[in-house]
Amino acid sequence: MADDTAEVTAAQAYRRLVRSVQAALAEPGGSGPAAAVVLAGPLADADRALAAAGLAGNEPRFFAVVRSVAVIPAPAPGPAPA
């Protein structure tokens, strides 16, 4: 089994890939050839990270790690602390 750092790195790479896909698809013409070029880097990063963590082909474990990587919410807007 890979160490926790490699697993977290893989989960973070996957999350970056998902955000990149969402952004590419939100652009006009986002499902065309330009999207493939834009997504090639994040996809390769995610593939490498999955392999390094030993999670390639182990989807249940991988998605458990993805769920465990918490996103820290942005602070609520408001007055600055005094």
Side-chain angles (χ1 to χ4, degrees):
M1 180 95 165
D3 64 67
D4 289 340
T5 302
E7 290 182 351
V8 169
T9 299
Q12 290 170 334
Y14 170 76
R15 292 172 60 89
R16 284 190 299 274
L17 174 61
V18 168
R19 286 191 302 270
S20 297
V21 168
Q22 290 170 332
L25 293 177
E27 291 295 317
S31 60
V37 172
V38 170
L39 297 174
L43 182 56
D45 290 345
D47 281 344
R48 280 190 298 272
L50 280 169
L55 293 171
N58 188 353
E59 289 81 8
R61 174 68 186 139
F62 171 65
F63 286 111
V65 173
V66 170
R67 283 188 299 275
S68 74
V69 177
V71 176
I72 300 171

